[in-house]
Amino acid sequence: MKGQPTLSRKPRIVVIGGGTGLSVMLRGLKQKPLDITAIVTVADDGGSSGILREELQIPPPGDIRNVLSALADIEPLMAEVMKYRFNNGTGLAGHSLGNLILAAMTDITGDFVTGISELSRIFAVRGRVLPAANQAIVLKAEMEDGSIVVGESTIPKSGLAIRRVFLEPADVEALPEAVQALKDADAILIGPGSLYTSIIPNLIVPKLAEAIVQSDAVKLFVCNVMTQPGETDNYSVSDHLTAVQEHIGQQLFDYVIVNDGEIPPQVQDLYAEQGSTAVHLDLDEVTRQGYKVIADTLVLFRTYLRHDAAKLSDHIYHLVEDWMLRKE
């Protein structure tokens, strides 16, 4: 048979994280012939999500809402409606309409996971969206001075370097569907996103961590382009990888995807005002640790720096495709 070999089925890819970076990447990945499952953090305790979490005793809906919108086949106007935030109104001000819709679906169906599933059906979501657990998790951090800071939204504001993060309850039960998705995965993709408050909280949910370690899927890490004030100040690429390894207890990834494109000086100045700098690619150290590095110009600048979703998803798809072809 002539030509390139083709896969016998769509690769099953599990994407883990939270926040804006994950949503941007998923917009690119959904254009590829992939069977996508997104596992999303439930440690958020700030803003609208934090209020709904506290008042309705549900997992925080904000990151889930962003991921649903990213994977949905909906009109641009509907996407705007989902992220619309009320500016006025007693009890309404500050709330995202999408968060309220998710809260309503949870109440109607009687379960957060079922509510997500029904909303996914309504919005023709390409793939599955699963919370890491079917309950809210409290994230805590031990800082370099030994003090403990409580709450995902509080940790980056402490002004102290983070030694480690941990969960309460420590024995939180991972969502069974999320564990099964990891066991069935051909590829596991982690990042981009806030290292200590979006990425690592998923990786330290006990059964999720176990399933990732035991999986023979290809494991990819997409490194952030910029450091995050209060979380990863002055971090290099290898510092990100070391933080994950110290929390998991072993090296996790086969490939690291990083931006090596130049960031214009005026953009760097803009970020510097917020205490953020470009993540340094210390290539020798990353390769010495045994990671394979895929480096390319992967950023776009509009109002903010974002990953180039199309280019990033091309790299991811080709890596996953090559991995599966070698296995078949």
Side-chain angles (χ1 to χ4, degrees):
M1 187 174 169
K2 293 182 180 179
Q4 286 286 99
T6 54
L7 295 174
S8 57
R9 58 173 174 79
K10 284 184 182 180
R12 293 186 288 263
I13 186 167
V14 177
V15 184
I16 302 173
T20 310
L22 179 64
S23 301
V24 169
M25 184 172 66
L26 287 171
R27 286 190 174 89
L29 286 177
K30 77 175 180 182
Q31 307 302 331
K32 302 293 182 187
L34 292 165
D35 180 347
I36 300 171
T37 298
I39 298 176
V40 186
T41 182
V42 284
D44 188 6
D45 64 356
S48 170
S49 282
I51 293 167
L52 292 172
R53 164 184 173 148
E54 185 70 28
E55 293 188 354
L56 302 180
Q57 299 300 299
I58 61 170
D63 283 340
I64 298 276
R65 179 203 81 230
N66 284 331
V67 170
L68 284 171
S69 294
L71 286 174
D73 276 336
I74 51 178
E75 294 297 320
L77 182 59
M78 193 62 206
E80 288 297 313
V81 167
M82 280 292 283
K83 69 179 183 183
Y84 175 77
R85 201 170 289 276
F86 293 93
N87 293 315
N88 302 300
T90 306
L92 272 179
H95 277 299
S96 152
L97 182 57
N99 287 357
L100 296 176
I101 291 171
L102 253 175
M105 288 298 285
T106 301
D107 199 34
I108 290 165
T109 62
D111 178 73
F112 188 60
V113 176
T114 308
I116 295 168
S117 176
E118 288 301 307
L119 206 54
S120 297
R121 188 177 55 79
I122 293 165
F123 285 161
V125 166
R126 296 192 200 181
R128 287 191 302 164
V129 180
L130 301 171
N134 201 9
Q135 65 182 94
I137 295 168
V138 176
L139 186 67
K140 296 185 175 184
E142 180 187 354
M143 315 310 284
E144 281 297 343
D145 67 352
S147 62
I148 304 296
V149 178
V150 179
E152 178 266 352
S153 61
T154 310
I155 291 165
K157 299 172 185 172
S158 71
L160 298 165
I162 299 167
R163 181 177 293 160
R164 68 181 180 103
V165 291
F166 56 101
L167 304 177
E168 191 178 273
D171 60 348
V172 61
E173 192 68 29
L175 190 74
E177 296 95 319
V179 174
Q180 191 60 49
L182 288 165
K183 288 179 178 177
D184 295 340
D186 300 302
I188 297 170
L189 176 61
I190 294 165
S194 301
L195 181 64
Y196 288 104
T197 55
S198 286
I199 293 173
I200 291 175
N202 289 307
L203 302 182
I204 55 177
V205 173
K207 287 184 181 175
L208 288 188
E210 189 180 311
I212 295 167
V213 168
Q214 291 176 356
S215 171
D216 64 355
V218 61
K219 294 162 195 169
L220 318 172
F221 180 72
V222 181
C223 193
N224 293 335
V225 175
M226 305 297 288
T227 63
Q228 186 164 352
E231 285 202 39
T232 54
D233 298 288
N234 303 312
Y235 269 38
S236 65
V237 174
S238 69
D239 290 330
H240 284 76
L241 294 164
T242 299
V244 172
Q245 185 171 336
E246 286 177 349
H247 280 81
I248 297 296
Q250 66 181 78
Q251 191 166 304
L252 203 59
F253 309 107
D254 302 296
Y255 291 91
V256 181
I257 303 174
V258 299
N259 171 65
D260 70 350
E262 192 176 337
I263 298 167
Q266 65 271 25
V267 177
Q268 292 199 46
D269 291 344
L270 192 66
Y271 274 81
E273 289 173 10
Q274 303 160 34
S276 182
T277 58
V279 174
H280 170 62
L281 171 54
D282 48 344
L283 185 59
D284 289 346
E285 179 60 22
V286 175
T287 51
R288 187 193 68 77
Q289 291 177 9
Y291 301 101
K292 299 181 189 77
V293 178
I294 307 297
D296 198 357
T297 301
L298 294 173
V299 287
L300 296 170
F301 179 72
R302 294 192 177 97
T303 310
Y304 300 97
L305 273 176
R306 292 283 181 258
H307 275 97
D308 182 331
K311 213 171 188 183
L312 181 59
S313 58
D314 280 344
H315 279 295
I316 292 164
Y317 182 73
H318 291 313
L319 280 172
V320 175
E321 185 181 41
D322 288 347
W323 179 272
M324 284 189 65
L325 286 169
R326 287 202 301 270
K327 284 175 70 177
E328 285 188 347

